[in-house]
């Protein structure tokens, strides 16, 4: 199967074997937030993944690609931090593009909230995420979108299906994590994680699926661990090393609590790029983009920037309407045409005119 060719055995190339941890069953009386605890490591037969076509050095030069996944690989290979604001719907995506951002982040929490009006507790499905991604990616097809894929929505077959559907939707990169299927937002307490082996199998399934896409897909796999709050930072870094060996292109450690820990994580995982997630009031300090870059992070996402702002803005507008009986104040002078211009009205008018139409001569 395509993809398996890139997993080299230690016997053939001398690389160290990927390691895994056998899971010791936990008695029901002792079951806590830890579902799998580290135990003596045993080597797996397969070695570290390496695909020469995806080597970062191949993306250092040349103009930025029109393909969003290739474009994101170029951005990762070149100087500067990639800044991806979290978007929750079409309006927030339009506002992010208007502000000049060249990468977007489809947050799982924000998508669950905007599409379903529910908290981030494994309620949204693959279909919810894919439908949202199709819409977002269609607004600016060359702009890379990094999308949350939770746990992959099931076993290895579902992980592979997630990769296929995300790539087909136009997503440039997805991150997959090591929480149990009944997961929760990474900045809530009480998280539970799967064994190292299961996490690695998710990453491997995603990589194999990517490499089986016809046409040499550059789709990016991001390995995320939520184990820092459950098993400690040392275990979290070990899991990310295993994810990198399994083929993850980027490492994402959720809930890193200090600048020193972020810096040391980046140093330990080098040269693999590291993503940091900043949520105001969350587990991670409110690093600025410059601070995160100085600490060595290659990607910074602000998962809830749009949906939290939306709650504040919409709540204020609704309270004002309830109190005053008018939306005049909350509109702040924005008439319908001005609103639709943010949504791409002028692009559609231009397209119609260039095609010889006259439907929008007067708007």
């Amino acid at each position: 199967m395509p993809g398996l060719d890139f997993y080299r055995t230690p016997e053939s190339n001398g690389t160290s074997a990927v390691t895994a941890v056998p899971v010791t069953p936990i008695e029901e009386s002792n079951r806590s937030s830890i579902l799998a605890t580290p135990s003596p490591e045993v080597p797996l037969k397969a070695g570290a993944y390496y695909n020469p076509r995806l080597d970062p050095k191949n993306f250092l030069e040349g103009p930025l690609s029109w393909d969003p996944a290739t474009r994101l690989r170029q951005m990762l290979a070149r100087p500067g931090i990639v800044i991806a604001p979290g978007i929750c719907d079409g309006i927030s995506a339009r506002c992010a593009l208007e502000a000049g951002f060249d990468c977007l982040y489809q947050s799982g929490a924000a998508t669950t909230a905007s599409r379903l009006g529910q908290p981030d507790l494994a309620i949204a499905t693959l279909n919810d995420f894919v439908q949202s991604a199709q819409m977002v990616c269609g607004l600016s097809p060359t702009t890379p979108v990094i999308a949350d894929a939770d746990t992959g929505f099931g076993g290895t077959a579902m992980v592979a299906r997630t990769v296929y559907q995300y790539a087909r939707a136009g997503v440039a990169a997805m991150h997959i994590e090591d929480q149990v299927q009944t997961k929760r937002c990474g900045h809530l307490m009480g998280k539970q994680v799967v064994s190292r082996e299961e996490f690695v199998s998710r990453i491997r399934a995603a990589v194999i699926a990517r490499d089986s896409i016809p046409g040499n897909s550059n789709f990016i796999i991001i390995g995320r661990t939520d184990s820092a709050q459950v098993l400690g930072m040392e275990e979290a870094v070990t899991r990310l090393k295993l994810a990198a060996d399994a083929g993850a292109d980027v490492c994402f450690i959720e809930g890193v609590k200090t600048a020193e820990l972020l810096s040391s994580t980046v140093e330990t995982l080098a040269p693999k790029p590291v993503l940091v997630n900043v949520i105001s009031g969350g587990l991670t300090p409110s690093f600025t983009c410059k601070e995160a870059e100085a600490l060595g992070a290659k990607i910074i996402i602000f998962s809830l920037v749009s949906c939290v702002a939306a709650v504040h803005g919409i709540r204020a507008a609704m309270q004002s309407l309830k109190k005053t009986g008018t939306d005049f104040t909350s509109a702040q002078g924005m008439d319908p045409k001005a609103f639709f211009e943010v949504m791409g009205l002028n692009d559609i008018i231009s397209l119609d005119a260039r095609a010889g139409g006259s439907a929008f001569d007067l708007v």
Side-chain angles (χ1 to χ4, degrees), residues 185 187 277-287 301-305 308-309 312:
C185 171
H187 290 255
N277 180 23
V278 174
I279 297 178
S280 181
L283 297 172
T284 300
S286 294
F287 298 123
I301 59 176
F302 295 87
S303 296
L304 299 184
V305 62
V308 168
H312 289 310

Side-chain angles (χ1 to χ4, degrees), residues 229-312:
Q229 289 76 51
V230 182
L231 302 174
M233 280 295 297
E234 183 177 350
E235 173 66 12
V237 172
T238 297
R239 286 178 176 234
L240 290 180
K241 288 180 179 179
L242 293 173
D245 284 344
D249 301 292
V250 177
C251 292
F252 173 3
I253 186 165
E254 182 67 291
V256 60
K257 292 186 175 181
T258 68
E260 292 74 22
L261 286 174
L262 176 57
S263 179
S264 63
T265 299
V266 169
E267 183 178 352
T268 302
L269 295 173
K272 195 65 67 173
V274 171
L275 179 154
V276 63
N277 180 23
V278 174
I279 297 178
S280 181
L283 297 172
T284 300
S286 294
F287 298 123
T288 66
C289 299
K290 289 184 178 179
E291 289 170 343
E293 183 175 13
L295 292 169
K298 189 59 185 177
I299 304 175
I300 184 169
I301 59 176
F302 295 87
S303 296
L304 299 184
V305 62
S306 62
C307 56
V308 168
V311 167
H312 289 310

Side-chain angles (χ1 to χ4, degrees), residues 111-183:
T111 302
T112 302
S114 64
R115 289 183 66 86
L116 305 177
Q118 298 288 340
D120 186 12
L121 298 175
I123 296 171
T125 66
L126 172 60
N127 290 342
D128 292 318
F129 281 36
V130 170
Q131 289 167 11
S132 180
Q134 289 172 333
M135 178 273 297
V136 170
C137 294
L139 297 178
S140 179
T142 63
T143 300
V145 174
I146 301 169
D148 189 347
D150 281 356
T151 62
F153 306 101
T156 54
M158 277 302 296
V159 171
R161 185 166 181 261
T162 300
V163 171
Y164 298 142
Q165 294 207 21
Y166 274 40
R168 190 177 298 118
V171 172
M174 78 174 208
H175 63 73
I176 186 166
E177 68 199 46
D178 59 356
Q179 285 198 60
V180 297
Q181 295 298 338
T182 51
K183 61 145 290 174

Side-chain angles (χ1 to χ4, degrees), residues 29-201:
S29 59
N30 294 327
R31 186 171 296 274
S32 65
S33 62
I34 303 176
L35 293 191
T37 56
S39 58
E41 297 179 355
V42 293
L44 294 176
K45 292 181 180 179
Y49 172 94
Y50 177 69
N51 185 343
R53 183 180 64 82
L54 300 178
D55 194 300
K57 69 176 183 291
N58 297 327
F59 300 91
L60 285 170
E61 299 178 353
L64 289 176
S65 173
W66 294 106
D67 173 69
T70 304
R71 193 182 192 92
L72 183 55
R73 285 190 180 274
Q74 292 171 319
M75 294 165 69
L76 291 174
R78 302 175 188 189
I81 190 170
V82 176
I83 305 167
I87 52 91
C88 58
D89 57 13
I91 296 175
S92 56
R94 285 287 190 184
C95 290
L97 293 169
E98 181 186 60
F101 287 101
D102 55 10
C103 185
L104 303 178
Y105 174 62
Q106 179 177 292
S107 159
T111 302
T112 302
S114 64
R115 289 183 66 86
L116 305 177
Q118 298 288 340
D120 186 12
L121 298 175
I123 296 171
T125 66
L126 172 60
N127 290 342
D128 292 318
F129 281 36
V130 170
Q131 289 167 11
S132 180
Q134 289 172 333
M135 178 273 297
V136 170
C137 294
L139 297 178
S140 179
T142 63
T143 300
V145 174
I146 301 169
D148 189 347
D150 281 356
T151 62
F153 306 101
T156 54
M158 277 302 296
V159 171
R161 185 166 181 261
T162 300
V163 171
Y164 298 142
Q165 294 207 21
Y166 274 40
R168 190 177 298 118
V171 172
M174 78 174 208
H175 63 73
I176 186 166
E177 68 199 46
D178 59 356
Q179 285 198 60
V180 297
Q181 295 298 338
T182 51
K183 61 145 290 174
R184 64 193 62 193
C185 171
H187 290 255
L188 295 178
M189 298 297 102
K191 293 187 291 184
Q192 299 175 322
V193 296
V194 299
S195 67
R196 290 183 188 178
E197 294 127 315
E198 185 169 347
F199 178 43
V200 170
S201 73

